[in-house]
Amino acid sequence: MATVDPKIEESWKIHLENEFKSPYFEKLKDFLKTEKKNGEPIFPPGPRIFSAFEHTPFDKVRVVILGQDPYHGAGQAHGLSFSVPAGIGIPPSLLNIFKELRNDLGLPIPSTGNLEKWADQGVLLLNATLTVRENQPGSHQNKGWEQFTDAVIREISARKSGVVFILWGKYAQAKEVLIDTTKHFVLKSPHPSPFSADRGFFGCKHFSKTNEILKSEGYKEIDWSLK
């Protein structure tokens, strides 16, 4: 079977080479082609599917924030978990993230939901599933993306040390089994969704805790501020 050659940042292409050679990835590619042929609007747009990897090359990864699905509304998803492009309304979970950021570090609620600034500093904003059909949450689950992103987590765990994994909610926390906790750091709390944020997400102080860990490991702290 021929290797799939996705348009992904070069360091990730090298580290994930075996995934692109795998039968499941070929099936995933065929599934996406069929969706497109059927006229299904898919988010994020093709060139942005691997945006998280473009903004955060493998050697730059210091923090991983794991999401589940891309946003399924038009114009929202742009390849970074929890993030929306500038000019798009801030979704409820992201607004709660910003509220915790204010409570934790005293930063004002940003006017933009674009988190590229975080990604460019080494925060891998990784969704478990990298595409979704318009207005159909979960529509691209169990098609191969989870196998791919699990491999991403395993590769980071195996090849790096001192990475901070931020796992919000039960879905993300189920991925802890992929992480070598003897050489990485895991921060866990309920999901920032309005349905669960009051159960322990607010007050988790994950932003200041992450910076304390990075500083203790000799890495530069993340500037979490956004305009």
Side-chain angles (χ1 to χ4, degrees), residues 19-191:
E19 304 309 307
F20 302 132
K21 291 178 180 177
S22 297
Y24 84 84
F25 205 89
E26 183 72 29
K27 288 179 181 176
L28 172 60
K29 183 183 176 185
D30 289 343
F31 166 74
L32 293 173
K33 279 182 177 177
T34 301
E35 290 280 272
K36 190 174 181 180
K37 189 188 295 183
N38 292 340
E40 298 286 357
I42 295 172
F43 301 137
R48 291 187 164 184
I49 290 172
F50 294 112
S51 285
F53 303 91
E54 296 297 330
H55 283 277
T56 316
F58 185 84
D59 64 330
K60 302 287 189 186
V61 176
R62 296 285 174 261
V63 180
V64 178
I65 299 180
L66 189 66
Q68 189 167 356
D69 251 15
Y71 295 119
H72 54 83
Q76 290 182 305
H78 66 144
L80 306 175
S81 63
F82 294 102
S83 180
V84 291
I88 298 294
I90 296 173
S93 291
L94 182 55
L95 182 58
N96 284 340
I97 290 170
F98 289 161
K99 287 178 180 177
E100 175 58 22
L101 199 54
R102 179 185 61 192
N103 297 340
D104 186 6
L105 297 175
L107 296 173
I109 301 288
S111 58
T112 178
N114 189 328
L115 305 182
E116 288 178 352
K117 182 182 175 183
W118 296 0
D120 291 337
Q121 296 177 79
V123 182
L124 182 66
L125 297 167
L126 181 68
N127 277 318
T129 303
L130 298 189
T131 56
V132 70
R133 202 180 293 157
E134 183 176 16
N135 297 327
Q136 295 185 46
S139 50
H140 286 188
Q141 290 177 2
N142 303 315
K143 303 297 183 183
W145 278 131
E146 295 92 339
Q147 193 169 341
F148 175 73
T149 54
D150 281 0
V152 171
I153 296 168
R154 285 196 192 95
E155 187 69 5
I156 293 169
S157 179
R159 305 291 179 186
K160 299 178 75 74
S161 62
V163 173
V164 182
F165 289 85
I166 297 177
L167 308 180
W168 292 327
K170 290 180 181 178
Y171 184 89
Q173 288 163 22
K175 304 292 185 178
E176 187 176 4
V177 296
L178 306 172
I179 302 163
D180 183 348
T181 55
T182 67
K183 62 172 184 168
H184 297 288
F185 302 89
V186 176
L187 300 178
K188 296 185 282 188
S189 82
H191 195 276

Side-chain angles (χ1 to χ4, degrees), residues 208-226:
S208 60
K209 287 177 181 177
T210 294
N211 277 352
E212 287 167 12
I213 292 168
L214 292 176
K215 191 174 181 181
S216 72
E217 292 289 300
Y219 296 126
K220 189 176 180 181
E221 297 173 60
I222 305 299
D223 176 6
W224 296 105
S225 65
L226 298 166

Side-chain angles (χ1 to χ4, degrees), residues 93 96 168-170 189-202:
S93 291
N96 284 340
W168 292 327
K170 290 180 181 178
S189 82
H191 195 276
S193 158
F195 299 107
S196 54
D198 286 326
R199 298 182 204 148
F201 174 76
F202 290 134

